[in-house]
Amino acid sequence: MNSEFINPFIIALLNVIETMAQTKLTPGKPQKKGNNQAGGDVSGLIGMVGDDIKGSLSISFEESLVLEIMHKMLGEKPEGINSDVNDMVGEITNMICGGAKNDLDQKGYNFGMATPMIVSGKNHTIDHQVDGKKMVMPFTHPSGNLYLEMCFNK
Amino acid sequence: MNSEFINPFIIALLNVIETMAQTKLTPGKPQKKGNNQAGGDVSGLIGMVGDDIKGSLSISFEESLVLEIMHKMLGEKPEGINSDVNDMVGEITNMICGGAKNDLDQKGYNFGMATPMIVSGKNHTIDHQVDGKKMVMPFTHPSGNLYLEMCFNK
């Protein structure tokens, strides 16, 4: 996976969270993924398919951070992860992928996005299966962390 | 979602499990999905994208059933869900979608499959987000149950 392909997702993630929720995340160091631990309590997952691109992406939020984002975006702070939080995570996942897709289209990478799926549950693990490299990148914030995982044949 | 579109997935699921693991599942009654409970302990998820098709599918296994299938397919029965089980669930998910895709191609439904993602964890929930109907269909077996969930704009 080359940085020309990865960077638009990182930029879109930072932009979407800052624009929608006035929340500035600090990007950490990208790592090859060693285990399957999602690292979060609610995750937005999306598959992508193009003529010669295949892959999947997940964005996993710690509960404390996702509730803070919910509070900033919608003015309400539920006691835990509920269907409204799931919907917001789905929207955020869609916006991040859509933003990256627009950018990548101009660079000649063409693919379609499937519809997002939201997984919630303490300590769930996600295993992306593709013949390619897996990358996980942490983003930190005083309220909690977020993990972007990507797995593509690029 | 019409039955012409759903049935190839049901047939492929029954075929794959019977052929690969000599395990005959009993199909239950399809239902509109009311809550997000996956109903299983390990799930294979896949997104699909076509010119006018968008959607996602998940196949959730109860632990007891997935370990029995592992035993039948590979002759070994691990004590719990591990990365080998995840890989097998990914393979099965791919084979079921691939089988249904071949069938649907001939009926004029054309779409590409993203790469599968495997979620494991007790009591995890999956929320498919698409502007369309959601369907969940149980399959029963003395060893445990399996749930097929589909969410498409068809």
Side-chain angles (χ1 to χ4, degrees), chain B residues 32-57:
Chain B
K32 283 186 199 168
K33 199 184 176 194
N35 62 32
N36 299 327
Q37 205 64 37
D41 303 314
V42 57
S43 302
L45 284 66
I46 204 160
M48 292 174 233
V49 191
D51 290 338
D52 60 348
I53 296 179
K54 245 179 192 254
S56 57
L57 171 152

Side-chain angles (χ1 to χ4, degrees), chain A residues 121-143:
Chain A
K122 284 275 174 200
N123 295 319
H124 67 262
T125 64
I126 301 174
D127 187 358
H128 295 257
Q129 298 208 327
V130 74
D131 295 330
K133 295 233 170 51
K134 302 184 191 184
M135 191 273 299
V136 57
M137 182 160 169
F139 293 79
T140 56
H141 186 266
S143 297

Side-chain angles (χ1 to χ4, degrees), chain B residues 68-85:
Chain B
E68 176 65 19
I69 290 174
M70 183 87 178
H71 187 221
K72 288 271 183 58
M73 272 180 72
L74 302 174
E76 53 182 289
K77 192 164 183 170
E79 285 186 16
I81 292 164
N82 61 20
S83 64
D84 292 336
V85 173

Side-chain angles (χ1 to χ4, degrees), chain A residues 59-116:
Chain A
I59 301 169
S60 296
F61 299 79
E62 289 180 357
E63 180 169 320
S64 53
L65 175 63
V66 82
L67 296 181
E68 178 64 21
I69 291 175
M70 183 87 178
H71 187 221
K72 288 271 184 59
M73 272 181 72
L74 302 174
E76 53 183 290
K77 192 164 186 171
E79 286 186 16
I81 292 164
N82 60 20
S83 63
D84 291 336
V85 174
N86 282 359
D87 288 348
M88 184 191 72
V89 169
E91 276 303 316
I92 288 174
T93 307
N94 243 341
M95 289 171 71
I96 291 169
C97 290
K101 179 178 156 44
N102 283 346
D103 198 353
L104 287 165
D105 270 347
Q106 295 171 7
K107 291 180 176 148
Y109 296 99
N110 297 302
F111 55 86
M113 288 159 48
T115 46

Side-chain angles (χ1 to χ4, degrees), chain A residues 36 45-49 54-56 86-87 90-91 112-120 124-130, chain B residues 36 45-49 54-56 86-87 90 112-120 124-130:
Chain A
N36 300 326
L45 285 65
I46 204 159
M48 291 175 234
V49 191
K54 245 178 193 252
S56 56
N86 282 359
D87 288 348
E91 276 303 316
M113 288 159 48
T115 46
M117 292 169 274
I118 315 305
V119 174
S120 48
H124 67 262
T125 64
I126 301 174
D127 187 358
H128 295 257
Q129 298 208 327
V130 74
Chain B
N36 299 327
L45 284 66
I46 204 160
M48 292 174 233
V49 191
K54 245 179 192 254
S56 57
N86 282 0
D87 288 347
M113 288 158 48
T115 46
M117 292 169 273
I118 316 304
V119 175
S120 49
H124 67 261
T125 65
I126 301 174
D127 187 357
H128 296 257
Q129 298 208 326
V130 72

